[in-house]
Amino acid sequence: MAAPSGRRAEPVVMLAVCALLGYLLGSIPFGLVLTRMAGLGDIRQIGSGNIGATNVLRTGNKPLALATLLLDSGKGAIAALLAFLWAGPAFLGLEAAVLAAGGAMLGHSFPVWLGFKGGKGVATALGVLLAVCWPAGLLACLTWLVMAAVFRISSLSALTALALSPLTGWYFGGPLVAGLCLFIAVLVFVRHEANIRRLLKGEEPRIGAGKKKAVP
């Protein structure tokens, strides 16, 4: 029997490369880069101290917050889609996409460029879910929107949407997608530890709150 050639000869290496490239893409801190380019200073010194879109919104610059949201979600989606296409849908496409998605989440949350102190991963999570399993991703986005419209609290909206995602991931994508959703949910909950404490105390800032000094 002829030995497998090309990309199929080293599936473990391929999957590792997908995870690494996902991490590198995910680690690009768009919120920090955009706010500095706009002359708004260090986003980590205001609001929640997070580098994500919700905290960028607290600068009062809505277009910049929207750009951060799109770029943070886009980098996760692009990482997953590129891995899927490179590995091949008929070979290891889904596995590669899941690993790249997980890598992007870790990159955003723990970027090497910022001393492993990054964002909380909500926008990136929604992006990777839309790319890996669009029905689960779409339901997560809709859940976030409904919760945000009702309660006006970004963290509560995100935690609710991602807590439900393993169930929708299992239904629409099977166990591998559900596992990714569970990993994402756990990571996001860990990154929102301080937010959860403030939610329990009724002290969590609402969407659109003005610029202020960072809280721990």
Side-chain angles (χ1 to χ4, degrees), residues 102-212:
M105 287 297 301
L106 290 174
H108 181 80
S109 300
F110 308 105
V112 64
W113 328 112
L114 302 180
F116 301 103
K117 297 178 181 179
K120 297 177 181 178
V122 177
T124 305
L126 295 177
V128 301
L129 289 180
L130 285 169
V132 172
C133 182
W134 70 264
L138 181 60
L139 285 174
C141 290
L142 291 175
T143 302
W144 190 99
L145 289 172
V146 170
M147 292 293 294
V150 173
F151 296 101
R152 303 293 297 172
I153 301 176
S154 178
S155 60
L156 178 62
S157 305
L159 293 172
T160 304
L162 294 175
L164 295 174
S165 67
L167 297 176
T168 57
W170 183 283
Y171 182 81
F172 290 107
L176 188 60
V177 173
L180 171 66
C181 293
L182 181 60
F183 169 77
I184 289 173
V186 170
L187 179 59
V188 170
F189 267 75
V190 169
R191 298 294 294 162
H192 280 75
E193 178 185 0
N195 303 81
I196 293 170
R197 290 200 301 267
R198 289 194 294 271
L199 282 169
L200 294 175
K201 295 178 182 178
E203 299 174 352
E204 182 70 342
R206 294 183 178 273
I207 296 172
K211 181 177 179 178
K212 59 183 181 179

Side-chain angles (χ1 to χ4, degrees), residues 36-59:
R36 282 186 169 173
M37 289 177 62
L40 297 174
D42 191 336
I43 190 64
R44 295 170 294 181
Q45 301 304 315
I46 69 167
S48 65
N50 185 27
I51 61 173
T54 300
N55 204 41
V56 174
L57 184 60
R58 295 188 178 105
T59 66

Side-chain angles (χ1 to χ4, degrees), residues 26-88:
S27 67
I28 302 172
F30 286 113
L32 179 62
V33 172
L34 291 176
T35 49
R36 282 186 169 173
M37 289 177 62
L40 297 174
D42 191 336
I43 190 64
R44 295 170 294 181
Q45 301 304 315
I46 69 167
S48 65
N50 185 27
I51 61 173
T54 300
N55 204 41
V56 174
L57 184 60
R58 295 188 178 105
T59 66
N61 192 318
K62 293 181 180 179
L64 208 64
L66 178 59
T68 302
L69 174 66
L70 294 175
L71 288 169
D72 278 350
S73 59
K75 67 185 181 183
I78 289 172
L81 290 173
L82 287 178
F84 181 80
L85 292 173
W86 182 48

